[in-house]
Amino acid sequence: QHLKESIIYLKKKYNMTIIMIAHRYTTIQDVDQIYVLDSGRIAEKGKWGELSSKTGGYLREIEMENT
């Protein structure tokens, strides 16, 4: 939660673009854009809601495996 709050603060105060690599869904659920990489290539991009509901999508597959 502290990391999430810090990122929001920096983004608003300095109008920054922040690139992060995340392994937890909670870290990326509120970001502006998500890029899903597969073998070094962009496999999907979009917002959390779009990607997590996309049938057959990478993010959805990974989410299903971890539940």
Side-chain angles (χ1 to χ4, degrees), residues 50-66:
E50 299 165 359
L51 297 178
S52 65
S53 64
K54 185 177 178 181
T55 304
Y58 284 93
L59 187 64
R60 177 124 173 123
E61 285 182 36
I62 294 167
E63 187 177 31
M64 298 290 276
E65 288 175 7
N66 291 318

Side-chain angles (χ1 to χ4, degrees), residues 7-59:
I7 290 169
I8 291 168
Y9 170 78
L10 289 170
K11 187 177 171 191
K12 286 182 179 179
K13 182 168 179 153
Y14 298 107
N15 194 26
M16 304 176 106
T17 297
I18 300 170
I19 298 173
M20 77 173 86
I21 297 171
H23 297 276
R24 294 184 180 174
Y25 300 120
T26 55
T27 307
I28 61 170
Q29 285 180 339
D30 297 321
V31 300
D32 295 328
Q33 191 75 355
I34 298 169
Y35 289 87
V36 179
L37 301 177
D38 181 32
S39 300
R41 296 182 184 263
I42 297 172
E44 292 180 321
K45 67 178 182 174
K47 293 192 173 281
W48 174 262
E50 299 165 359
L51 297 178
S52 65
S53 64
K54 185 177 178 181
T55 304
Y58 284 93
L59 187 64

